[in-house]
Amino acid sequence: MSTPKALDLHPDRLFPAEPGARAIARRLYGQVAQLPIISPHGHTDPSWFAGNEAFANATELLLIPDHYVFRMLYSQGIELDALGIPRRDGSRSSVDPRAAWRLFASNFHLFRGTPSSMWLNHVFHEVFGLRERLDAGSADRYYDHITAALQQPGFRPRALFDRFRIELLATTESPLDLLQHHAEIRASGWPGRVVTAYRPDPVVDPEHEEFAASLERFGEITGENVYTWDGYLRAHRQRRAAFAAMGATSTDHGHPTAATADLPADEARRLFEKVARGGSSAAEAELFRAQVLTEMAAMSLDDGLVMQIHPGCFRNHNARLFERFGRDKGADMPMRTDYVNALKPLLDRFGNDPRLRVIVFTLDESTYARELAPLAGHYPALFLGPAWWFHDAPEGMWRFREQTLASGGFYNTVGFNDDTRAFLSIPARHDVARRVDCAFLAKLVSEHRMDEDEAAELAVDLAYRLPKQAYKL
Amino acid sequence: MSTPKALDLHPDRLFPAEPGARAIARRLYGQVAQLPIISPHGHTDPSWFAGNEAFANATELLLIPDHYVFRMLYSQGIELDALGIPRRDGSRSSVDPRAAWRLFASNFHLFRGTPSSMWLNHVFHEVFGLRERLDAGSADRYYDHITAALQQPGFRPRALFDRFRIELLATTESPLDLLQHHAEIRASGWPGRVVTAYRPDPVVDPEHEEFAASLERFGEITGENVYTWDGYLRAHRQRRAAFAAMGATSTDHGHPTAATADLPADEARRLFEKVARGGSSAAEAELFRAQVLTEMAAMSLDDGLVMQIHPGCFRNHNARLFERFGRDKGADMPMRTDYVNALKPLLDRFGNDPRLRVIVFTLDESTYARELAPLAGHYPALFLGPAWWFHDAPEGMWRFREQTLASGGFYNTVGFNDDTRAFLSIPARHDVARRVDCAFLAKLVSEHRMDEDEAAELAVDLAYRLPKQAYKL
Amino acid sequence: MSTPKALDLHPDRLFPAEPGARAIARRLYGQVAQLPIISPHGHTDPSWFAGNEAFANATELLLIPDHYVFRMLYSQGIELDALGIPRRDGSRSSVDPRAAWRLFASNFHLFRGTPSSMWLNHVFHEVFGLRERLDAGSADRYYDHITAALQQPGFRPRALFDRFRIELLATTESPLDLLQHHAEIRASGWPGRVVTAYRPDPVVDPEHEEFAASLERFGEITGENVYTWDGYLRAHRQRRAAFAAMGATSTDHGHPTAATADLPADEARRLFEKVARGGSSAAEAELFRAQVLTEMAAMSLDDGLVMQIHPGCFRNHNARLFERFGRDKGADMPMRTDYVNALKPLLDRFGNDPRLRVIVFTLDESTYARELAPLAGHYPALFLGPAWWFHDAPEGMWRFREQTLASGGFYNTVGFNDDTRAFLSIPARHDVARRVDCAFLAKLVSEHRMDEDEAAELAVDLAYRLPKQAYKL
């Protein structure tokens, strides 16, 4: 076996190569490197912070929950069963977690240049203190080292939360979640600020595979007759209030499109009745989701919750994989997305109201300069979420800034979201975002489009001030 | 109050940071920095040059007419009434112009990194000699200094025109405009070359809110029976000739899409009759606009006017704002735009004729490499207008070059358009365009894709020779 | 006449200007500069290598077959007849090839910055040893020098093939081609590896102008009753086998869209019968092409041929030019293309099978990050072809890498295709691709996202190993 290769995290990573611009980036980054992390949108599991149990091993922690990672392995012919990914029915292949780790390690070259390699190397180096590169040769040493570390108190969820300097972490829950873990966290006396966010898709999307069951449960939980339009809306209001009581400051909506609607009350009622009975067509389902977005905006004006819209994904594109492994297995695919027409009904009703805050995201980068920046650079209620999901690599973040700056400026954006299930990667992701923003600002300064003191103020705004303000934290 | 921050215009702004490439950019820019300005497409008011009256104050000159500026302020919750923007009915809030200026100044940070900040800082520094940055602290000094300067003879429109070294400035008028200001300019003996351009949208777009009234007026002005297809076309020919007599060398067409049509004469006639009666559907209105584009191309072959097509904007997207404040208030939004199918009818008829010159623009950058450059790199009649409106920032100009070069080359493009109502920003805008082109060429030279003598020739072509040739000036 | 300008090929061309990054690029390029050329997809004429006749003159070799070149000249008003481009009926204007060359030479500035100028200058400098730039003044010297060189043995096709260090060259033939030239090459004892590829469009596309005649001929050649669905499919299988015997390892499909279908057998049969009778509508033609793609994938699982899909082109956009000059005259135009929905039927059936290899290309760059990289970064059967046709300039190649890296990585891509009819430009094109990849990797290394040893391995993978593996060579 060859000599182990050194794993290095260069202090100037992601900064421009040109020495003058690099020096500027370094100074800007110096202003933000140590700022606390604001994570207003993500998918970590609140039970981690409620129970504070140790993570089991390297594979369970870093491989199993990270669909960015196993989708790439799968694309090169590695079966999900060979990695031990849980199946839809809850069963798992009997693969040894160490064997899964070795398979991952010996294919780690597949991630060269991708954000996953950056995030993982950051975790290896900074969280676990590893100093050799991951490959087939180092796989076992990695597995043993990480798995051993996880048994130590300093690697429990709350200790990592503190070590990561997280000032706020939002999780995302369905209206059907009783928020017990959040209640436990609050009751525990631990001062870490973990809040929820209201994600009502299962009771909003008639095409969700569990819509009927979810609707029934929605009624049970709220005690409302959710089969009437008024009862359904009251149930939302009730759960939103319960979420706000558990710290939520935002809602989140993951629809196939950005369509909104503003139907007359009678039509909305009739549409709901059809949807609730389970007989809606695809077009009716789309119209219903569209109408609910506008209803949610109306509720936000009352309860103050910030509204996030995450449209444009063809969920569960791989029919066979969905059947065997279920949702969120790396088989969601971005689609072309329209905003200018889609958002108009909602904006016509509420877009001019500066008390409302709607944060829009996209998986269709062609809309950054064409639709989203012009919309956000005009409507008081509209803000742009950061480069998202398939686009939160350095290149995608750079394109976001480069394509939204002219019409949207910096101040109609809301800072970074890590949007992750991979808890340990949170510092890595925020670090990448801060570095890319500093590199982008350094380019503007080095080309004399902005003075360095302005860029320094902006760097802090983007890393810390804007997310707090946008999400009312 | 803190020490005023210095306002600086760095001589190397917008040039690449790498010293070798920067030196090339500097040499290339040296060839073009002092060339006269050719402004073949814009929206300044010809009455300024006819009457040569002093501009009133800083707010009236720099804030009120610039929807790039007040749209950004509006997006952050500042009411248009608080800035004194005129309403649709001509009334205005009673806001003091100085108070409006202070509001603008204290929010000037919103423009960091945007083209507006570059253009405005250029105006402040070069036109008014200001040397501190605009902010809340300097707002009054700015207001007083600019307002005082405007009373001096050297700041009257014609003096600025000369100082700006403008060789030609085109304005844009409707067929209903009698071009009196243009006639006055010509009669005045002042040698400044201000010409008009023929923009017939109000009598071409059946969905324009003033279409019926415009059509009636079109008939009065021309003495033609514009309610017959032949009379309507004769009226266009007559007004085009009148515009050409006032120096026009081009027409301009701002349609929602790039659709063209080439209907048989009978169908065109029947369509027109329906449109003229006011009963056309949305599809018929679209088809009518499409047909008129092809008719305009036919007329261009006769009278030699260069044809500009500016498609792809959803005008007046904000219904409530449109109701209160009317058109051109920063609420127009770009849309996805097709060219390959849309332009085919016109190109099938005239695209192979090198005597015709059709300059196409886009607000949908995804068409640069995919549609526009391939079309312009093949059809003799087709040329590409520069990065436009939402895309005329340095990043947008760079993307235009980078995405049109391979298939379109440089010589199927037509140089820069400032397209502005903001007269004082014209030198700033042309300077930005020249700098970005020189930076782009410097990259090609520094990567050994072109010799510097070729780049130097190109720099002059792009800044001066191509616009004169493309617009037949 | 002015002093001739020197023609120079700088050893650092296409590398980043910043000295640190340039040094890295230079070292990486040093690893790949001399690697043999793998050309798995292109359009050279196999008769060149079968007959090994001398090329006639500079015009016939470099101008007449290169629609990248004459489309640009045409776009500036130069008639194809003035260049001697063959017409649809096989006739040609009586233009002297030297006069055509002069016209080209005196317009060579039109290509500044385009890939054609890079490729041609490479050919002039490296293949012909020319050291002055092409322009009106050097036109005759060029013509005489090149034409004389072509008469020498070292400039015959096989000698150039060897000199270019081509390890494998694939041509593309229709199922109606009896592959006689390929048989001759194999029988000749010459060791150059020239293979065919199966491109069945003429018998797959009901809208092809020669579909009916092609189908008839398809039956004659194969002895199958190709007017029945089963016979038609058997004929494909037979020709695919014949192509494989002549070295083919791939098929190629140039459809207007990426649509695939997976119809029940009965529906497919009925659709075919309608298509075969010649009465299919546009929608039926589209569905038929879609269905055939899926059938081809099924056959690929049996015979192992790699499947290439090249969709998204509006062929013969210029009706008048098509009438006079026929296909492939620079009048094809890219269109917006959907993949996520279009490929689903094929992927639902075969996408999870790692034995299948489908290489997808695009002319719609907006799909790189949005659709293609996410699809290829998930489905085992799917790989991404390189930047293609209108996008194989350095800028286009850079965008390909920058927009596919995050979700697709490097290892779901397949190296470079030159895709050319211009035989002499093959080394130039591969050299450009290698340089751009090395420059891209150098950026990643200089920004500390990858170690240089990883980049060096990748450079070799991209230039040599991945194309051999992807195309099973």
Side-chain angles (χ1 to χ4, degrees):
Chain A
M1 187 165 296
S2 57
T3 323
K5 302 268 177 44
L7 174 66
D8 181 43
L9 277 196
H10 197 284
D12 286 338
R13 63 193 182 279
L14 294 171
F15 295 161
E18 195 280 316
R22 177 164 288 195
I24 299 167
R26 210 183 275 156
R27 288 193 298 270
L28 295 175
Y29 178 70
Q31 308 279 317
V32 299
Q34 303 302 321
L35 288 177
I37 287 174
I38 305 293
S39 174
H41 178 94
H43 302 280
T44 53
D45 186 338
S47 73
W48 296 336
F49 309 104
N52 202 31
E53 300 293 329
F55 295 107
N57 57 52
T59 300
E60 287 298 322
L61 177 64
L62 298 173
L63 180 52
I64 301 297
D66 193 341
H67 57 68
Y68 282 72
V69 170
F70 60 72
R71 82 194 305 273
M72 181 66 91
L73 298 172
Y74 185 72
S75 80
Q76 291 276 317
I78 295 170
E79 292 288 343
L80 296 189
D81 271 345
L83 301 168
I85 306 300
R87 301 185 194 120
R88 193 175 183 174
D89 62 8
S91 72
R92 287 169 72 156
S93 73
S94 59
V95 68
D96 172 25
R98 179 185 296 271
W101 183 264
R102 284 177 185 160
L103 193 54
F104 166 51
S106 62
N107 284 284
F108 194 55
H109 65 281
L110 298 177
F111 298 94
R112 283 174 180 160
T114 70
S116 291
S117 83
M118 262 189 316
W119 298 329
L120 286 162
N121 281 330
H122 185 114
V123 169
F124 299 155
H125 192 280
E126 294 293 287
V127 182
F128 293 107
L130 289 154
R131 291 293 180 269
E132 62 176 334
R133 290 203 316 229
L134 178 63
D135 57 22
S138 63
D140 278 357
R141 288 190 296 276
Y142 258 73
Y143 187 83
D144 292 336
H145 179 92
I146 292 171
T147 304
L150 293 176
Q151 310 321 313
Q152 298 170 22
F155 289 82
R156 301 235 163 174
R158 291 182 182 177
L160 289 173
F161 188 100
D162 294 342
R163 177 173 164 195
F164 292 166
R165 269 195 305 273
I166 299 175
E167 183 174 317
L168 174 130
L169 180 71
T171 65
T172 310
E173 273 80 38
S174 142
L176 309 183
D177 191 303
L178 298 178
L179 306 179
Q180 195 178 331
H181 300 306
H182 284 279
E184 286 168 24
I185 293 167
R186 297 187 157 231
S188 72
W190 175 59
R193 194 169 165 208
V194 178
V195 302
T196 184
Y198 187 69
R199 171 91 171 227
D201 300 357
V203 297
V204 168
D205 179 6
E207 296 177 317
H208 194 289
E209 68 272 20
E210 293 170 8
F211 177 69
S214 298
L215 199 59
E216 189 179 343
R217 180 83 185 118
F218 197 35
E220 289 167 15
I221 287 174
T222 58
E224 295 286 353
N225 178 359
V226 298
Y227 296 96
T228 69
W229 180 226
D230 293 339
Y232 174 78
L233 293 176
R234 277 197 306 273
H236 275 296
R237 288 184 184 271
Q238 188 193 121
R239 292 308 293 149
R240 291 170 63 110
F243 273 62
M246 287 299 162
T249 67
S250 66
T251 71
D252 184 30
H253 308 275
H255 291 194
T257 75
T260 64
D262 189 18
L263 300 174
D266 273 12
E267 279 183 46
R269 188 178 316 277
R270 277 196 301 274
L271 176 63
F272 174 75
E273 283 160 8
K274 193 154 186 192
V275 160
R277 281 197 308 269
S280 59
S281 66
E284 287 162 339
E286 171 77 353
L287 185 59
F288 180 70
R289 290 185 297 258
Q291 179 63 26
V292 174
L293 280 188
T294 307
E295 301 292 343
M296 289 288 137
M299 293 184 198
S300 280
L301 272 169
D302 290 341
D303 63 20
L305 294 184
V306 174
M307 186 172 178
Q308 300 172 91
I309 305 180
H310 282 90
C313 206
F314 191 130
R315 301 270 171 184
N316 315 312
H317 188 268
N318 188 330
R320 200 164 303 183
L321 199 87
F322 177 63
E323 213 175 285
R324 290 188 55 218
F325 289 92
R327 299 196 148 240
D328 298 325
K329 292 300 177 293
D332 299 333
M333 300 295 156
M335 291 185 296
R336 205 158 61 213
T337 306
D338 158 73
Y339 292 89
V340 162
N341 295 289
L343 293 177
K344 191 166 175 8
L346 189 155
L347 292 172
D348 273 346
R349 188 144 157 222
F350 300 119
N352 291 296
D353 193 330
R355 295 171 307 152
L356 180 65
R357 198 161 298 156
V358 181
I359 302 175
V360 183
F361 296 77
T362 197
L363 293 177
D364 179 356
E365 294 177 308
S366 77
T367 64
Y368 281 154
R370 188 181 61 216
E371 303 182 31
L372 290 176
L375 286 165
H378 168 71
Y379 282 101
L382 210 65
F383 292 80
L384 298 191
W388 169 46
W389 198 347
F390 295 91
H391 308 308
D392 66 355
E395 288 81 8
M397 292 175 176
W398 190 275
R399 289 193 293 267
F400 173 77
R401 287 284 173 224
E402 197 172 63
Q403 293 174 25
T404 61
L405 177 58
S407 304
F410 288 105
Y411 290 96
N412 286 301
T413 67
V414 304
F416 180 62
N417 282 185
D418 56 69
D419 188 32
T420 193
R421 297 160 209 276
F423 176 48
L424 269 70
S425 75
I426 288 178
R429 289 169 192 253
H430 285 262
D431 188 62
V432 167
R434 291 172 184 188
R435 287 174 179 274
V436 172
D437 277 340
C438 288
F440 186 79
L441 290 166
K443 182 172 191 286
L444 295 180
V445 173
S446 73
E447 296 179 358
H448 307 290
R449 291 176 55 185
M450 188 183 286
D451 289 330
E452 193 171 327
D453 69 297
E454 298 177 285
E457 196 177 301
L458 263 168
V460 175
D461 288 344
L462 299 178
Y464 187 74
R465 208 179 58 82
L466 287 180
K468 289 189 76 161
Q469 182 182 304
Y471 285 89
K472 304 186 178 174
L473 301 171
Chain B
M1 187 166 298
S2 58
T3 322
K5 302 268 177 44
L7 173 66
D8 181 43
L9 278 196
H10 197 284
D12 287 337
R13 63 194 183 278
L14 293 170
F15 295 160
E18 195 278 317
R22 177 164 288 194
I24 299 167
R26 210 183 275 157
R27 286 194 297 270
L28 296 174
Y29 178 70
Q31 307 279 317
V32 299
Q34 302 303 320
L35 287 177
I37 287 175
I38 306 292
S39 175
H41 178 93
H43 301 281
T44 52
D45 185 338
S47 73
W48 295 337
F49 309 105
N52 201 32
E53 300 293 329
F55 295 108
N57 57 53
T59 300
E60 287 297 323
L61 176 64
L62 298 173
L63 179 53
I64 301 297
D66 193 341
H67 57 68
Y68 282 72
V69 169
F70 61 71
R71 83 193 302 274
M72 181 66 92
L73 298 171
Y74 186 72
S75 80
Q76 291 276 319
I78 296 169
E79 293 288 343
L80 296 189
D81 271 345
L83 300 168
I85 306 299
R87 301 187 193 118
R88 193 174 182 175
D89 61 8
S91 73
R92 288 168 72 155
S93 73
S94 58
V95 67
D96 173 24
R98 179 185 296 270
W101 183 264
R102 284 177 184 159
L103 192 54
F104 165 52
S106 63
N107 284 283
F108 195 55
H109 65 281
L110 297 177
F111 297 94
R112 282 174 181 161
T114 69
S116 291
S117 84
M118 263 190 315
W119 300 328
L120 285 163
N121 281 330
H122 185 114
V123 169
F124 298 155
H125 192 279
E126 294 293 287
V127 182
F128 294 106
L130 289 154
R131 291 293 180 270
E132 61 176 335
R133 290 202 317 228
L134 179 63
D135 58 21
S138 63
D140 277 357
R141 286 191 297 275
Y142 259 72
Y143 187 84
D144 292 336
H145 179 92
I146 292 172
T147 304
L150 292 176
Q151 309 323 312
Q152 298 170 21
F155 289 81
R156 300 236 163 171
R158 292 182 182 178
L160 289 173
F161 187 100
D162 293 342
R163 179 174 163 194
F164 292 166
R165 268 194 307 272
I166 298 176
E167 184 175 318
L168 174 130
L169 180 71
T171 66
T172 310
E173 272 80 39
S174 141
L176 309 183
D177 191 303
L178 298 177
L179 306 179
Q180 193 177 334
H181 300 306
H182 283 278
E184 286 167 25
I185 293 167
R186 296 185 157 233
S188 73
W190 176 58
R193 193 169 164 208
V194 177
V195 301
T196 184
Y198 188 69
R199 170 91 172 227
D201 298 358
V203 296
V204 168
D205 180 6
E207 296 177 318
H208 194 289
E209 69 272 20
E210 293 171 8
F211 177 71
S214 297
L215 199 60
E216 188 180 342
R217 180 83 185 119
F218 197 37
E220 290 167 12
I221 287 174
T222 59
E224 295 286 352
N225 178 359
V226 297
Y227 296 95
T228 70
W229 181 226
D230 293 339
Y232 175 78
L233 293 177
R234 276 196 307 273
H236 275 296
R237 289 185 184 271
Q238 188 192 122
R239 293 307 293 149
R240 291 170 63 109
F243 273 62
M246 287 298 160
T249 67
S250 67
T251 71
D252 184 30
H253 308 276
H255 292 193
T257 75
T260 63
D262 190 17
L263 300 175
D266 271 12
E267 280 183 46
R269 188 178 316 277
R270 277 196 301 275
L271 176 63
F272 174 75
E273 283 160 9
K274 193 155 187 191
V275 160
R277 282 196 308 268
S280 59
S281 67
E284 286 162 339
E286 172 77 352
L287 184 59
F288 180 70
R289 289 186 298 258
Q291 178 65 25
V292 173
L293 280 188
T294 307
E295 302 292 344
M296 290 287 137
M299 292 183 198
S300 280
L301 272 170
D302 291 339
D303 63 20
L305 295 184
V306 174
M307 188 172 177
Q308 301 172 90
I309 305 181
H310 281 89
C313 207
F314 191 132
R315 301 270 171 184
N316 314 312
H317 188 269
N318 188 329
R320 199 163 304 182
L321 200 87
F322 177 64
E323 212 175 286
R324 289 187 56 217
F325 289 92
R327 300 195 148 239
D328 299 324
K329 292 300 178 293
D332 300 332
M333 300 295 157
M335 290 185 296
R336 205 157 62 212
T337 306
D338 159 73
Y339 292 89
V340 162
N341 295 289
L343 293 177
K344 191 165 173 14
L346 188 155
L347 293 172
D348 273 345
R349 186 144 159 220
F350 299 119
N352 292 295
D353 193 330
R355 295 171 307 152
L356 179 64
R357 198 161 297 156
V358 181
I359 302 174
V360 183
F361 296 76
T362 197
L363 292 177
D364 179 355
E365 294 177 308
S366 76
T367 64
Y368 282 154
R370 188 181 60 217
E371 305 183 30
L372 290 176
L375 286 165
H378 168 70
Y379 282 102
L382 211 65
F383 292 80
L384 298 189
W388 171 45
W389 197 347
F390 296 91
H391 308 309
D392 67 354
E395 289 81 9
M397 292 175 177
W398 191 275
R399 289 194 292 269
F400 173 76
R401 288 284 173 223
E402 197 172 62
Q403 293 175 26
T404 60
L405 177 58
S407 303
F410 287 105
Y411 290 96
N412 286 301
T413 66
V414 304
F416 180 63
N417 282 185
D418 56 69
D419 189 33
T420 193
R421 295 161 210 274
F423 175 48
L424 269 71
S425 75
I426 288 178
R429 290 170 191 253
H430 285 262
D431 188 61
V432 167
R434 292 172 184 188
R435 287 174 178 274
V436 172
D437 277 340
C438 289
F440 186 78
L441 290 166
K443 181 172 192 287
L444 295 181
V445 172
S446 73
E447 296 179 359
H448 307 290
R449 292 177 54 185
M450 188 183 286
D451 289 330
E452 192 170 327
D453 69 297
E454 298 177 285
E457 197 177 302
L458 264 168
V460 174
D461 288 344
L462 299 178
Y464 186 74
R465 208 180 57 81
L466 286 180
K468 288 189 76 163
Q469 181 182 306
Y471 285 90
K472 303 185 177 173
L473 301 171
Chain C
M1 190 165 297
S2 57
T3 322
K5 302 267 176 46
L7 174 65
D8 181 43
L9 277 197
H10 197 284
D12 286 337
R13 63 193 182 278
L14 293 171
F15 294 161
E18 195 279 317
R22 176 164 288 194
I24 298 167
R26 211 183 273 156
R27 288 194 298 270
L28 296 174
Y29 178 70
Q31 308 279 317
V32 300
Q34 302 302 321
L35 288 177
I37 287 174
I38 306 292
S39 174
H41 177 94
H43 301 282
T44 53
D45 186 338
S47 73
W48 296 336
F49 309 104
N52 202 32
E53 300 294 329
F55 295 108
N57 58 52
T59 301
E60 286 299 321
L61 177 64
L62 298 173
L63 180 52
I64 301 297
D66 193 340
H67 58 66
Y68 283 72
V69 170
F70 60 72
R71 83 193 303 274
M72 181 67 92
L73 298 172
Y74 186 71
S75 80
Q76 291 275 319
I78 295 169
E79 292 289 341
L80 296 189
D81 271 344
L83 301 168
I85 306 300
R87 302 185 193 119
R88 193 173 182 175
D89 61 9
S91 72
R92 287 168 73 155
S93 73
S94 58
V95 67
D96 172 24
R98 179 185 296 271
W101 184 264
R102 283 177 185 161
L103 193 52
F104 166 51
S106 61
N107 284 284
F108 195 55
H109 65 281
L110 298 177
F111 298 94
R112 281 174 180 160
T114 70
S116 291
S117 84
M118 263 190 315
W119 299 328
L120 286 162
N121 281 329
H122 185 115
V123 169
F124 298 154
H125 192 280
E126 294 294 287
V127 182
F128 294 106
L130 289 154
R131 291 294 179 269
E132 63 174 333
R133 292 203 317 229
L134 179 63
D135 58 21
S138 62
D140 278 357
R141 288 190 296 275
Y142 259 73
Y143 188 83
D144 292 334
H145 179 91
I146 292 172
T147 304
L150 293 176
Q151 309 322 311
Q152 297 171 20
F155 289 82
R156 300 234 165 174
R158 291 182 182 179
L160 289 172
F161 188 100
D162 294 341
R163 178 174 163 193
F164 292 166
R165 269 194 305 273
I166 298 175
E167 184 175 317
L168 174 129
L169 180 72
T171 65
T172 310
E173 271 79 39
S174 143
L176 309 183
D177 190 304
L178 297 178
L179 306 179
Q180 194 178 330
H181 299 307
H182 283 279
E184 286 168 24
I185 294 167
R186 298 188 155 231
S188 73
W190 175 59
R193 193 168 164 209
V194 178
V195 303
T196 184
Y198 188 68
R199 170 90 173 227
D201 299 358
V203 297
V204 168
D205 180 6
E207 296 177 317
H208 194 288
E209 68 273 20
E210 293 170 8
F211 177 70
S214 298
L215 199 59
E216 189 179 344
R217 179 84 185 119
F218 197 37
E220 290 167 13
I221 287 174
T222 59
E224 295 286 353
N225 179 357
V226 298
Y227 296 96
T228 70
W229 181 226
D230 293 340
Y232 175 78
L233 294 177
R234 278 198 306 273
H236 274 297
R237 288 185 185 271
Q238 187 192 123
R239 292 307 292 149
R240 290 170 64 109
F243 272 61
M246 287 298 161
T249 67
S250 66
T251 70
D252 184 30
H253 308 276
H255 291 193
T257 75
T260 63
D262 190 17
L263 300 175
D266 272 11
E267 279 183 47
R269 188 178 316 277
R270 276 197 301 275
L271 176 62
F272 174 76
E273 283 160 9
K274 193 154 186 192
V275 159
R277 282 197 308 269
S280 59
S281 67
E284 287 162 340
E286 171 77 353
L287 184 59
F288 180 70
R289 290 186 297 258
Q291 178 63 26
V292 173
L293 280 188
T294 307
E295 302 292 345
M296 290 288 135
M299 293 184 197
S300 280
L301 271 169
D302 291 340
D303 63 20
L305 295 183
V306 173
M307 187 172 176
Q308 301 172 90
I309 305 180
H310 281 90
C313 207
F314 190 132
R315 301 270 171 185
N316 315 311
H317 188 269
N318 188 329
R320 199 163 304 182
L321 200 86
F322 178 63
E323 211 174 288
R324 289 187 57 217
F325 288 92
R327 299 196 148 240
D328 299 324
K329 292 300 178 294
D332 299 332
M333 300 295 157
M335 290 185 296
R336 205 158 61 211
T337 306
D338 159 72
Y339 292 89
V340 162
N341 294 290
L343 294 177
K344 191 165 174 12
L346 189 156
L347 292 172
D348 273 346
R349 187 144 159 220
F350 299 119
N352 292 296
D353 194 329
R355 295 171 307 152
L356 180 64
R357 199 161 297 156
V358 181
I359 302 174
V360 183
F361 296 76
T362 197
L363 293 177
D364 179 357
E365 294 177 308
S366 76
T367 64
Y368 281 154
R370 187 182 61 216
E371 305 183 30
L372 290 175
L375 286 165
H378 168 70
Y379 282 102
L382 210 65
F383 292 80
L384 298 189
W388 170 46
W389 197 348
F390 295 92
H391 307 309
D392 67 353
E395 289 80 9
M397 293 176 176
W398 190 275
R399 289 194 292 267
F400 173 76
R401 288 283 172 224
E402 196 172 64
Q403 293 174 25
T404 61
L405 177 58
S407 303
F410 288 105
Y411 289 96
N412 286 302
T413 66
V414 303
F416 180 62
N417 283 185
D418 56 69
D419 188 33
T420 193
R421 295 159 211 276
F423 176 47
L424 268 71
S425 75
I426 288 179
R429 289 169 191 253
H430 285 262
D431 188 62
V432 168
R434 291 173 184 188
R435 287 175 178 274
V436 172
D437 277 340
C438 289
F440 186 78
L441 290 166
K443 181 171 192 286
L444 295 181
V445 173
S446 73
E447 295 178 359
H448 307 290
R449 293 177 53 185
M450 186 183 286
D451 288 330
E452 192 171 328
D453 69 297
E454 299 177 285
E457 198 178 301
L458 264 168
V460 174
D461 288 345
L462 299 177
Y464 187 74
R465 208 180 58 81
L466 287 180
K468 289 188 77 163
Q469 182 182 306
Y471 284 90
K472 304 185 178 174
L473 300 171

